[in-house]
Amino acid sequence: NNERKMSSPTEPPETDPAFIAKEEDFTKLPSELSHVDWTKPISWSKYEPYPPSHDADAITTTDDDGDKQTVAVAPHLPLTPEGTKPSFKPPHKALEFHVHATSGRARYTTVHLPHGPVATPVFMPVGTKGTLKGLSPMDVTNSDALNNQIILANTYHLALQPGTELIRDAGGLHNFMNWDRNILTDSGGFQMVSLLKLAEITEEGVTFENPFLSDNNDKEGETNSSNKKRTRQEATESGSMMLLRPEDSIYHQNNIGSDIIMALDDVVSSVADDKTRFQIATYRTLRWLDRCFAAHRRPHDQNLFPIVQGGLDVSRGGLRDVCLAGFRERDDKAPGYAIGGLAGGESKDDFWKVVDHCCRALPDTKPRYLMGV
């Protein structure tokens, strides 16, 4: 615990200007994707029963006329016996993924994390502010019906109360809540949808009004009229506003010490009707991911997952494909992936189309987390 505490950063890193796009470039395809052939499916590291991905090995066959042709073939997914101990080798020293069996496209696996193994498929209970409502950690671990190996906490809410610096100084959220199993933290991105009326989203990050300490509280004798004149910087410094940049989200999650941390993404409601906003958000999610990777100070014991965005657009070369292609370019940095931007009121048909599309693209050798379900 002391090692985990000492490795946490003392303050958020500055934003690298190289990652900041100009407004006129918000809707331009990221330069690293200029070579992508959008007529072909976006996928990588796929195994049967999926079609072969672009990185699949090719074999030479001979047809009935004696003509030879070279075709790509999807191999069988390598299986690992249950009970195999993890070795936690680079490049991802804090996660090892063992696939034990498959049934069609379904996988029975174990995700080995710093606080123990997690058998999947698995449902994660939500402990937003470091506690499951109405249950103690002992209630969860001592119950045969529950016995959860991983729970979820929320970065935005913990940063507001009690503050992640306090949690860090207490030895991380595991010590703070007396939980010796795994924790996954959301990045705060979902609050861009759920708390949109309190948020302002820019290239820098998202600024939230603090619902517990707003300028409307007339603190220290200030009047409402004078409060309204305060700048965003002054409001942020006073605590009435909270700026959450990708660097801040990772800083808070490094303080929390969760086993899986999520990248801050630009989230748009799945039922919104603004194609330009979805396009900006998808491209920005890739830029913010680079900032998250650059800010991550604890890759040795925390796993940073990117989140696929792109609305409901599953067309060939559409926004989901753009986000997936961007992740494929960064695959060496990601120990696992999440599918986001769903469960926001879209139809079940649209929901499953997006899930299916992403699962056909994402690597079979890494865990996948379907968010919000």
Side-chain angles (χ1 to χ4, degrees):
N1 288 330
N2 288 335
E3 180 182 351
R4 292 174 67 88
K5 177 180 176 181
M6 291 173 61
S7 61
S8 299
T10 57
E11 60 183 19
E14 296 296 324
T15 301
D16 185 343
F19 295 133
I20 301 296
K22 298 179 181 179
E23 186 172 356
E24 57 267 27
D25 295 330
F26 283 177
T27 56
K28 290 183 179 179
L29 185 73
S31 59
E32 72 269 17
L33 302 181
S34 59
H35 69 284
V36 176
D37 183 355
W38 299 107
T39 66
K40 297 180 179 179
I42 303 299
S43 64
W44 67 106
S45 299
K46 302 305 294 183
Y47 294 81
E48 288 188 344
Y50 291 102
S53 50
H54 83 292
D55 54 356
D57 293 332
I59 63 172
T60 301
T61 61
T62 303
D63 60 23
D64 294 339
D65 298 326
D67 295 328
K68 293 183 177 182
Q69 58 180 348
T70 301
V71 295
V73 177
H76 294 285
L77 185 60
L79 301 181
T80 302
E82 288 186 74
T84 302
K85 294 184 178 180
S87 55
F88 293 117
K89 298 178 181 178
H92 307 299
K93 296 182 179 180
L95 185 149
E96 190 162 319
F97 187 59
H98 292 166
V99 180
H100 306 306
T102 61
S103 177
R105 295 166 59 188
R107 304 172 299 174
Y108 166 51
T109 80
T110 299
V111 183
H112 292 278
L113 296 167
H115 285 86
V118 179
T120 77
V122 63
F123 176 79
M124 288 186 295
V126 178
T128 299
K129 298 182 73 172
T131 181
L132 302 180
K133 290 185 177 179
L135 295 172
S136 71
M138 289 72 73
D139 292 329
V140 178
T141 57
N142 294 337
S143 168
D144 292 335
L146 297 175
N147 196 27
N148 299 100
Q149 299 299 318
I150 186 169
I151 63 173
L152 185 149
N154 186 275
T155 298
Y156 165 81
H157 290 288
L158 289 173
L160 283 178
Q161 291 182 336
T164 63
E165 291 82 4
L166 187 151
I167 293 174
R168 176 196 63 207
D169 294 343
L173 187 58
H174 292 87
N175 281 359
F176 188 80
M177 64 179 293
N178 194 26
W179 174 259
D180 62 359
R181 300 184 181 184
N182 295 289
I183 298 174
L184 179 149
T185 42
D186 191 9
S187 62
F190 177 70
Q191 277 65 45
M192 297 183 200
V193 175
S194 63
L195 299 177
L196 183 59
K197 293 182 179 180
L198 300 177
E200 180 181 355
I201 304 165
T202 66
E203 181 69 6
E204 182 182 19
V206 54
T207 304
F208 294 101
E209 179 182 341
N210 187 333
F212 306 109
L213 184 63
S214 69
D215 280 337
N216 295 326
N217 289 337
D218 293 347
K219 59 177 183 174
E220 296 182 4
E222 295 178 333
T223 65
N224 282 335
S225 60
S226 64
N227 284 340
K228 293 178 181 178
K229 295 178 182 179
R230 299 175 67 188
T231 66
R232 185 193 308 168
Q233 179 179 354
E234 290 172 335
T236 302
E237 291 175 351
S238 73
S240 61
M241 303 286 284
M242 183 179 78
L243 173 63
L244 190 67
R245 305 169 300 148
E247 295 83 1
D248 298 314
S249 176
I250 299 303
Y251 164 75
H252 290 307
Q253 293 183 85
N254 284 164
N255 284 342
I256 291 168
S258 40
D259 302 270
I260 298 176
I261 67 177
M262 307 307 298
L264 183 67
D265 49 347
D266 190 352
V267 186
V268 184
S269 169
S270 60
V271 296
D273 186 19
D274 189 338
K275 293 183 178 180
T276 300
R277 177 71 184 97
F278 275 114
Q279 185 180 39
I280 291 173
T282 303
Y283 297 171
R284 180 176 287 151
T285 291
L286 295 176
R287 294 192 299 273
W288 281 8
L289 175 59
D290 289 333
R291 291 167 60 184
C292 287
F293 280 136
H296 189 19
R297 296 293 181 264
R298 297 180 59 178
H300 61 284
D301 63 355
Q302 290 183 289
N303 300 282
L304 174 55
F305 281 24
I307 305 173
V308 183
Q309 291 295 340
L312 303 178
D313 184 2
V314 295
S315 60
R316 185 66 60 83
L319 292 179
R320 287 280 172 174
D321 272 1
V322 168
C323 197
L324 288 162
F327 289 175
R328 186 173 64 183
E329 294 290 318
R330 300 160 171 82
D331 182 66
D332 61 322
K333 299 179 180 179
Y337 293 94
I339 301 171
L342 295 173
E346 73 280 352
S347 69
K348 284 297 181 183
D349 189 49
D350 285 334
F351 171 88
W352 287 119
K353 284 180 180 179
V354 173
V355 174
D356 173 73
H357 187 82
C358 293
C359 288
R360 289 180 180 274
L362 293 168
D364 292 337
T365 52
K366 295 184 178 182
R368 299 189 287 257
Y369 164 36
L370 178 58
M371 306 183 73
V373 179

Short mmCIF file of all heavy atoms in Angstrom, two decimals, residues 66-89:
data_model
loop_
_atom_site.label_atom_id
_atom_site.label_comp_id
_atom_site.label_asym_id
_atom_site.label_seq_id
_atom_site.Cartn_x
_atom_site.Cartn_y
_atom_site.Cartn_z
N GLY A 66 -6.29 -26.10 -60.41
CA GLY A 66 -4.86 -26.05 -60.16
C GLY A 66 -4.32 -24.65 -59.95
O GLY A 66 -3.10 -24.47 -59.80
N ASP A 67 -5.19 -23.66 -59.94
CA ASP A 67 -4.75 -22.29 -59.73
C ASP A 67 -4.57 -22.03 -58.24
O ASP A 67 -5.40 -22.43 -57.41
CB ASP A 67 -5.76 -21.30 -60.30
CG ASP A 67 -5.88 -21.42 -61.82
OD1 ASP A 67 -4.86 -21.74 -62.46
OD2 ASP A 67 -7.00 -21.21 -62.34
N LYS A 68 -3.48 -21.36 -57.90
CA LYS A 68 -3.19 -21.05 -56.51
C LYS A 68 -3.71 -19.65 -56.15
O LYS A 68 -3.64 -18.73 -56.97
CB LYS A 68 -1.69 -21.13 -56.24
CG LYS A 68 -1.13 -22.54 -56.36
CD LYS A 68 0.35 -22.56 -56.02
CE LYS A 68 0.90 -23.98 -56.08
NZ LYS A 68 2.34 -24.03 -55.70
N GLN A 69 -4.18 -19.51 -54.95
CA GLN A 69 -4.61 -18.21 -54.46
C GLN A 69 -4.28 -18.10 -52.97
O GLN A 69 -4.29 -19.09 -52.25
CB GLN A 69 -6.10 -17.97 -54.70
CG GLN A 69 -7.00 -19.01 -54.06
CD GLN A 69 -8.47 -18.75 -54.32
OE1 GLN A 69 -8.84 -17.68 -54.79
NE2 GLN A 69 -9.32 -19.72 -53.99
N THR A 70 -3.98 -16.87 -52.56
CA THR A 70 -3.63 -16.61 -51.17
C THR A 70 -4.80 -15.94 -50.46
O THR A 70 -5.34 -14.93 -50.95
CB THR A 70 -2.39 -15.70 -51.08
OG1 THR A 70 -1.29 -16.35 -51.74
CG2 THR A 70 -2.01 -15.45 -49.63
N VAL A 71 -5.22 -16.51 -49.35
CA VAL A 71 -6.37 -15.98 -48.61
C VAL A 71 -6.01 -15.85 -47.13
O VAL A 71 -5.20 -16.61 -46.61
CB VAL A 71 -7.62 -16.87 -48.77
CG1 VAL A 71 -8.10 -16.89 -50.21
CG2 VAL A 71 -7.32 -18.29 -48.29
N ALA A 72 -6.62 -14.88 -46.48
CA ALA A 72 -6.44 -14.71 -45.04
C ALA A 72 -7.39 -15.64 -44.30
O ALA A 72 -8.53 -15.85 -44.72
CB ALA A 72 -6.70 -13.27 -44.64
N VAL A 73 -6.91 -16.21 -43.22
CA VAL A 73 -7.69 -17.16 -42.44
C VAL A 73 -7.67 -16.76 -40.98
O VAL A 73 -6.61 -16.47 -40.42
CB VAL A 73 -7.14 -18.59 -42.60
CG1 VAL A 73 -7.92 -19.55 -41.72
CG2 VAL A 73 -7.17 -19.02 -44.05
N ALA A 74 -8.85 -16.75 -40.36
CA ALA A 74 -8.93 -16.46 -38.92
C ALA A 74 -8.55 -17.72 -38.15
O ALA A 74 -9.16 -18.78 -38.34
CB ALA A 74 -10.33 -16.01 -38.55
N PRO A 75 -7.56 -17.66 -37.28
CA PRO A 75 -7.15 -18.85 -36.52
C PRO A 75 -8.10 -19.13 -35.37
O PRO A 75 -9.01 -18.35 -35.07
CB PRO A 75 -5.76 -18.46 -36.00
CG PRO A 75 -5.83 -16.97 -35.89
CD PRO A 75 -6.72 -16.49 -36.99
N HIS A 76 -7.89 -20.25 -34.70
CA HIS A 76 -8.64 -20.56 -33.49
C HIS A 76 -8.06 -19.77 -32.33
O HIS A 76 -6.85 -19.61 -32.20
CB HIS A 76 -8.58 -22.05 -33.19
CG HIS A 76 -9.27 -22.90 -34.20
ND1 HIS A 76 -10.65 -23.01 -34.27
CD2 HIS A 76 -8.78 -23.69 -35.20
CE1 HIS A 76 -10.98 -23.82 -35.25
NE2 HIS A 76 -9.87 -24.25 -35.84
N LEU A 77 -8.95 -19.28 -31.46
CA LEU A 77 -8.51 -18.49 -30.31
C LEU A 77 -7.77 -19.39 -29.32
O LEU A 77 -8.31 -20.42 -28.88
CB LEU A 77 -9.72 -17.86 -29.63
CG LEU A 77 -9.45 -16.90 -28.47
CD1 LEU A 77 -8.62 -15.71 -28.93
CD2 LEU A 77 -10.78 -16.41 -27.88
N PRO A 78 -6.54 -19.06 -28.97
CA PRO A 78 -5.79 -19.88 -28.00
C PRO A 78 -6.49 -19.89 -26.64
O PRO A 78 -6.94 -18.86 -26.15
CB PRO A 78 -4.44 -19.16 -27.91
CG PRO A 78 -4.34 -18.33 -29.15
CD PRO A 78 -5.74 -17.93 -29.48
N LEU A 79 -6.59 -21.06 -26.04
CA LEU A 79 -7.25 -21.22 -24.75
C LEU A 79 -6.23 -21.51 -23.66
O LEU A 79 -5.21 -22.15 -23.90
CB LEU A 79 -8.27 -22.37 -24.82
CG LEU A 79 -9.38 -22.23 -25.87
CD1 LEU A 79 -10.33 -23.42 -25.79
CD2 LEU A 79 -10.16 -20.92 -25.70
N THR A 80 -6.53 -21.01 -22.46
CA THR A 80 -5.67 -21.21 -21.29
C THR A 80 -6.45 -21.98 -20.24
O THR A 80 -7.60 -21.63 -19.94
CB THR A 80 -5.23 -19.85 -20.71
OG1 THR A 80 -4.55 -19.10 -21.72
CG2 THR A 80 -4.31 -20.04 -19.51
N PRO A 81 -5.90 -23.02 -19.67
CA PRO A 81 -6.63 -23.80 -18.65
C PRO A 81 -7.01 -22.93 -17.45
O PRO A 81 -6.27 -22.03 -17.05
CB PRO A 81 -5.63 -24.89 -18.25
CG PRO A 81 -4.68 -24.99 -19.41
CD PRO A 81 -4.58 -23.60 -19.97
N GLU A 82 -8.17 -23.23 -16.89
CA GLU A 82 -8.58 -22.54 -15.67
C GLU A 82 -7.56 -22.81 -14.56
O GLU A 82 -6.98 -23.89 -14.48
CB GLU A 82 -9.96 -23.02 -15.22
CG GLU A 82 -11.10 -22.55 -16.08
CD GLU A 82 -12.45 -22.94 -15.49
OE1 GLU A 82 -12.86 -22.31 -14.48
OE2 GLU A 82 -13.06 -23.88 -16.01
N GLY A 83 -7.35 -21.82 -13.72
CA GLY A 83 -6.42 -21.97 -12.62
C GLY A 83 -4.99 -21.60 -12.95
O GLY A 83 -4.13 -21.61 -12.06
N THR A 84 -4.73 -21.27 -14.22
CA THR A 84 -3.38 -20.86 -14.59
C THR A 84 -3.04 -19.54 -13.93
O THR A 84 -3.81 -18.57 -14.02
CB THR A 84 -3.26 -20.71 -16.12
OG1 THR A 84 -3.58 -21.96 -16.74
CG2 THR A 84 -1.86 -20.28 -16.51
N LYS A 85 -1.92 -19.47 -13.27
CA LYS A 85 -1.53 -18.25 -12.57
C LYS A 85 -0.99 -17.22 -13.55
O LYS A 85 -0.32 -17.56 -14.53
CB LYS A 85 -0.49 -18.57 -11.50
CG LYS A 85 -1.01 -19.44 -10.36
CD LYS A 85 0.05 -19.64 -9.29
CE LYS A 85 -0.51 -20.48 -8.14
NZ LYS A 85 0.50 -20.69 -7.06
N PRO A 86 -1.26 -15.94 -13.29
CA PRO A 86 -0.76 -14.89 -14.18
C PRO A 86 0.72 -14.62 -13.96
O PRO A 86 1.24 -14.82 -12.85
CB PRO A 86 -1.60 -13.67 -13.77
CG PRO A 86 -1.90 -13.90 -12.32
CD PRO A 86 -2.06 -15.38 -12.17
N SER A 87 1.38 -14.16 -14.99
CA SER A 87 2.79 -13.78 -14.88
C SER A 87 2.99 -12.28 -14.96
O SER A 87 4.05 -11.77 -14.64
CB SER A 87 3.61 -14.46 -15.99
OG SER A 87 3.07 -14.16 -17.27
N PHE A 88 1.94 -11.54 -15.40
CA PHE A 88 1.96 -10.08 -15.47
C PHE A 88 3.23 -9.58 -16.19
O PHE A 88 4.03 -8.83 -15.63
CB PHE A 88 1.85 -9.45 -14.08
CG PHE A 88 0.52 -9.69 -13.42
CD1 PHE A 88 0.42 -10.42 -12.25
CD2 PHE A 88 -0.65 -9.19 -13.98
CE1 PHE A 88 -0.81 -10.64 -11.64
CE2 PHE A 88 -1.89 -9.40 -13.38
CZ PHE A 88 -1.97 -10.13 -12.22
N LYS A 89 3.35 -9.97 -17.44
CA LYS A 89 4.49 -9.57 -18.24
C LYS A 89 4.19 -8.27 -18.98
O LYS A 89 3.04 -7.91 -19.20
CB LYS A 89 4.82 -10.68 -19.26
CG LYS A 89 5.22 -12.01 -18.63
CD LYS A 89 5.47 -13.05 -19.72
CE LYS A 89 5.86 -14.39 -19.12
NZ LYS A 89 6.07 -15.43 -20.17
#
